[in-house]
Amino acid sequence: MTLEEKVFAAFKDAFDLEDGIDRASLVYREFPEWNSIGHMTLVAALETQFDAMLEANEILAMSSFDKAVEIMAKYDEH
Amino acid sequence: MNTDLSGRVALVTGASRGIGFAIARRLLEAGATVVLNARQIDASIVDQLAGPAPDRVFVQAGDMSDPEDARQLVRAVFARHKRLDALINNAGIMRAAMIGMISDEDMRATLDLNLAGPIHLIQAAARLMARSGGSIVNVASVVGMEGAAGQLVYAASKAGVIGATRAAAKELAPKGVRVNAVAPGYIETDMTARLGDEVKAQSLKAIGLGRAGTPEDVADAVLFLCSDMSRYITGQVLRVDGGMVI
């Protein structure tokens, strides 16, 4: 599984997404389910997917799918 | 009664002595793996506590009034154990002073350790605990519920802990994380020994059961709140005060 696929798997888990969704639409506070509560659900899903604990500044900076991929790259072992 | 905590990981702050030490011992006896934290703590505590299970005791020094130390403590638990089932926010200080004698430094130190510390730890631990559910127990005080002369800042910090307990319980319940507090009364520890004989005599008169509490009295209540015996209890403050009337 690629880095992007792993990140998307966490998004799917957190927001119950369809495979074909436009990933550019996944933006914090714009995508309906991605509110402040959804954000913590997403972070938990990413931490589980990557077996990692994110830093506070990373959690605050995670504002879109692309940004999430960028942040999670440092936790991707494969 | 099922208080078996085998396979679970617990983190106890302020674990080098007093109530925290007693809590760590109870959790170990119940089968948990226990991470002990204090500002200054060394491996000799493992010898005092571990008995037949030295492989279930871990030591991680850190000052819980420092937000980065608090986050680092949880990261260390994650790195070693990959899970956290029970967080016991016990570290605290009490600097008694009448209102006109409270220094800015005492106020800051008390609020940073007693109130901000537990909040930082809850913040860092919540996501880790949400993976498999868990129990957070905050050590408050009856003084935080009733107030006491000469303890304005301590009372305010512990009242804050109770508010944080109730708020966190509501937010974390959907994740299967329970959050409760214990409110000890007059417990014989190094902290209360500094209050002097007069305060002790007054306190004993006010205790219905007629004796001071022990750290083990509090530890048993914490064990209950960490165990599945309290699986349907969250957002509560359990007084452990022998029927004390302030």
Side-chain angles (χ1 to χ4, degrees):
Chain A
M1 201 185 270
T2 66
L3 168 63
E4 189 168 323
E5 285 169 343
K6 287 170 75 174
V7 172
F8 186 67
F11 271 76
K12 270 182 72 175
D13 184 39
F15 302 136
D16 198 21
L17 305 176
E18 301 290 336
D19 281 330
I21 190 166
D22 177 11
R23 296 178 187 189
S25 71
L26 297 172
V27 176
Y28 181 51
R29 291 191 190 278
E30 290 182 15
F31 188 73
E33 284 80 17
W34 195 354
N35 51 26
S36 58
I37 294 173
H39 194 58
M40 298 321 293
T41 305
L42 172 64
V43 169
L46 286 165
E47 289 183 328
T48 301
Q49 178 74 34
F50 286 81
D51 195 21
M53 265 196 84
L54 298 182
E55 305 285 344
N57 60 339
E58 293 169 334
I59 294 168
L60 294 173
M62 197 171 288
S63 54
S64 67
F65 178 79
D66 288 344
K67 189 70 182 173
V69 172
E70 181 186 322
I71 290 168
M72 299 313 296
K74 76 182 248 198
Y75 298 102
D76 190 25
E77 293 177 352
H78 306 291
Chain B
M1 218 169 101
N2 184 8
T3 53
D4 182 19
L5 299 180
S6 298
R8 300 190 195 180
V9 177
L11 169 59
V12 184
T13 68
S16 61
R17 58 187 174 159
I19 291 172
F21 185 84
I23 291 168
R25 185 161 53 201
R26 276 290 187 273
L27 298 179
L28 272 168
E29 289 167 353
T33 293
V34 181
V35 180
L36 311 165
N37 158 264
R39 197 171 46 181
Q40 293 176 320
I41 192 166
D42 61 50
S44 66
I45 198 169
V46 176
D47 298 331
Q48 297 174 51
L49 274 175
D55 57 325
R56 289 195 283 113
V57 185
F58 298 87
V59 172
Q60 188 77 32
D63 178 359
M64 292 305 102
S65 67
D66 181 335
E68 188 48 44
D69 274 20
R71 286 189 280 268
Q72 184 54 42
L73 176 60
V74 175
R75 278 198 293 269
V77 171
F78 172 75
R80 185 184 291 272
H81 304 286
K82 299 294 182 189
R83 63 182 294 156
L84 180 61
D85 302 281
L87 166 64
I88 297 87
N89 280 310
N90 169 72
I93 54 173
M94 178 175 57
R95 295 180 182 174
M98 302 308 284
I99 290 172
M101 303 293 285
I102 299 167
S103 71
D104 289 349
E105 162 55 20
D106 281 354
M107 191 185 311
R108 187 198 57 75
T110 303
L111 294 175
D112 279 357
L113 181 61
N114 293 12
L115 179 55
I119 292 172
H120 286 126
L121 277 164
I122 290 170
Q123 195 178 26
R127 297 193 317 277
L128 183 54
M129 298 183 80
R131 296 180 183 195
S132 52
S135 172
I136 296 172
V137 182
N138 297 318
V139 178
S141 168
V142 292
V143 170
M145 305 174 81
E146 309 287 350
Q151 296 184 27
L152 187 156
V153 180
Y154 182 76
S157 71
K158 293 301 187 180
V161 165
I162 290 169
T165 299
R166 291 185 169 136
K170 288 179 176 173
E171 191 167 329
L172 296 177
K175 305 291 184 191
V177 179
R178 298 181 295 108
V179 188
N180 293 287
V182 291
Y186 188 88
I187 308 297
E188 286 192 325
T189 63
D190 292 348
M191 182 186 277
T192 52
R194 287 195 292 273
L195 291 171
D197 291 340
E198 190 181 336
V199 172
K200 180 176 180 179
Q202 279 181 346
S203 297
L204 288 176
K205 277 187 203 167
I207 297 172
L209 291 179
R211 68 169 176 85
T214 67
E216 288 72 27
D217 292 329
V218 181
D220 284 344
V222 172
L223 173 59
F224 166 70
L225 290 172
C226 288
S227 77
D228 292 342
M229 291 289 289
S230 59
R231 61 193 172 273
Y232 203 56
I233 298 173
T234 193
Q236 302 303 306
V237 182
L238 177 56
R239 295 178 74 126
V240 187
D241 66 356
M244 187 178 193
V245 178
I246 297 181

